[in-house]
Amino acid sequence: MRLGVLTGGGDCPGLNAAIRAVVRKAEVTYDDRIVGFRDGWRGVIEDDYVDLDVERCRGLLPKGGTMLGTSRTNPFKVDDGVAKVFATIERHGLDAIVAIGGEGTLSASRSLAELGIPVVGIPKTIDNDVNGTDFTIGFNTAVQVATEAIDRLHTTAESHNRVMVCEVMGRHVGWIALNAGLAAGAAVVLLPEDPFDIAVVCDHLQRRHAKGRYASIVVVAEGAKPKEGTLELPPPEIDQYDHERLGGIGSVVAQEIEKLTRLEARVTILGHVLRGGTPSAFDRMLATRFGIAAVEAAHDRAFGMMVGLQGGSVERVPLADAVGELKLVPEALMSGVSRLFLD
Ligand code: F6P
């Protein structure tokens, strides 16, 4: 078989581990030839590629980022994009493409599969918002990094009797905020799924601090939404996939907390720190299992499918079931940890 592989969307720890697993499985088990496309679907559209083999992938497992590069290029939004994808597949005689991506890349993959492009998907994103899988590659590392950062904020917050607002990524979902907030003992967690009232947040903080010298951590997902009419946020820019470019709500929240409570507040925006660096052991394992399963799916001609983790085993899921709607933090989980106030 001749196999293409690409990484699209925002990078995350574990992408290289997935590429390595695809290449090893394809070459060692099936004697496949593998073409790596640069910068996601852009590389396919422009036929920008590199030949991959086991040798080229040595040492990749613990490295963050993606050796193939990535972009948010959407073939459906580029002139003749889809025709160019077909032409590249034809030129290389490709039998399948493994697309490693999040909601945007996998949505494009789903539409391409419906047009007859032989795609198999692997879900990655630190946001963990892809349906059909318990976890996406990168999420576990992001939670770990955020937890360690919040642990550090605790000690400085306590020394100064301050409120520390920590903004984490999570455009539409609060998986990172909730998990890291819980793991690090935050006082408040603000999620996109549960619009917040800053006045209620401030009351809670004031009650805590009225008990004496006390520090509070407020974890806010970048996509958290104030209840209508409670707090003004600047309008975000929009990318090719109609995604909002966020970041900065933490500063607005911290300012408002200072104004309403007279407590000293500081903000830390973790942002892309959560996407960088070496993947956790869990993400290396997940990426490796997904890579192997995706190559097996390609050989079974299970196109239009994605591999996903479901209760411990790796299963094939139709891309159509995985994309379209985001995997939100369920109400039961939010209320199970007391929705807004974690102490
Ligand atoms: O990959 C998802 C994500 O990390 C979101 O949490 C965030 O809003 C977005 O990517 C940021 O993307 P960019 O790298 O384009 O700033």
Side-chain angles (χ1 to χ4, degrees):
M1 211 178 216
R2 198 146 168 83
L3 205 63
V5 59
L6 62 86
T7 52
D11 75 334
C12 68
L15 290 176
N16 280 323
I19 295 167
R20 169 183 176 269
V22 166
V23 171
R24 288 187 86 90
K25 179 69 183 171
E27 187 179 314
V28 175
T29 305
Y30 298 110
D31 201 23
D32 290 340
R33 305 268 314 276
I34 307 113
V35 179
F37 289 101
R38 291 200 179 92
D39 303 340
W41 286 110
R42 184 199 69 76
V44 186
I45 291 168
E46 298 176 14
D47 199 11
D48 185 2
Y49 69 95
V50 56
D51 288 316
L52 294 178
D53 57 22
V54 170
E55 266 324 299
R56 265 200 103 118
C57 293
R58 285 211 193 283
L60 267 192
L61 185 60
K63 284 198 180 139
T66 161
M67 58 103 73
L68 290 174
T70 186
S71 75
R72 291 199 163 89
T73 305
N74 182 346
F76 293 90
K77 298 215 170 164
V78 172
D79 284 345
D80 297 327
V82 174
K84 288 176 180 165
V85 169
F86 271 103
T88 300
I89 287 178
E90 180 82 22
R91 196 172 305 117
H92 290 275
L94 292 180
D95 301 291
I97 294 189
V98 175
I100 309 170
E103 162 69 20
T105 303
L106 296 177
S107 291
S109 303
R110 174 221 173 158
S111 305
L112 289 168
E114 283 169 358
L115 296 174
I117 304 276
V119 194
V120 175
I122 294 182
K124 70 82 219 171
T125 161
I126 63 164
D127 288 4
N128 197 36
D129 58 3
V130 178
N131 276 302
T133 185
D134 296 342
F135 299 111
T136 50
I137 298 170
F139 170 66
N140 180 271
T141 309
V143 170
Q144 185 61 32
V145 173
T147 302
E148 284 166 15
I150 299 166
D151 282 348
R152 288 174 187 277
L153 291 177
H154 266 293
T155 58
T156 169
E158 282 157 14
S159 307
H160 290 268
N161 193 22
R162 278 176 178 158
V163 177
M164 299 301 253
V165 177
C166 181
E167 179 182 312
V168 296
M169 279 193 169
R171 194 189 273 129
H172 302 293
V173 299
W175 289 105
I176 298 175
L178 185 70
N179 281 268
L182 270 180
V188 177
V189 174
L190 305 175
L191 314 177
E193 291 90 336
D194 188 20
F196 66 94
D197 184 339
I198 192 70
V200 178
V201 171
C202 288
D203 276 356
H204 177 64
L205 293 174
Q206 256 168 337
R207 268 201 308 277
R208 275 173 61 89
H209 288 251
K211 290 178 198 157
R213 194 176 170 79
Y214 216 80
S216 297
I217 304 285
V218 175
V219 178
V220 53
E222 61 178 358
K225 289 179 184 45
K227 280 194 172 140
E228 222 178 300
T230 57
L231 197 60
E232 277 299 306
L233 298 176
E237 292 173 39
I238 306 292
D239 74 11
Q240 270 198 3
Y241 284 100
D242 295 330
H243 288 156
E244 294 177 339
R245 186 172 297 167
L246 300 172
I249 187 174
S251 308
V252 179
V253 166
Q255 272 168 25
E256 203 65 11
I257 288 172
E258 282 207 330
K259 201 170 91 191
L260 296 182
T261 65
R262 303 270 163 223
L263 293 166
E264 250 196 305
R266 295 288 188 271
V267 63
T268 300
I269 300 178
L270 293 180
H272 293 81
V273 169
L274 302 182
R275 292 222 315 239
T278 187
S280 64
F282 180 90
D283 275 329
R284 296 181 199 188
M285 270 299 292
L286 188 67
T288 301
R289 293 178 73 191
F290 279 175
I292 292 168
V295 173
E296 285 168 347
H299 277 266
D300 289 345
R301 304 188 62 74
F303 302 131
M305 304 293 276
M306 179 191 88
V307 293
L309 187 73
Q310 296 184 349
S313 53
V314 177
E315 305 289 345
R316 292 176 192 169
V317 186
L319 275 168
D321 295 348
V323 299
E325 276 180 34
L326 294 174
K327 184 179 72 182
L328 305 179
V329 175
E331 173 64 30
L333 186 52
M334 286 191 282
S335 50
V337 292
S338 168
R339 183 170 282 233
L340 191 62
F341 305 128
L342 303 188
D343 67 349

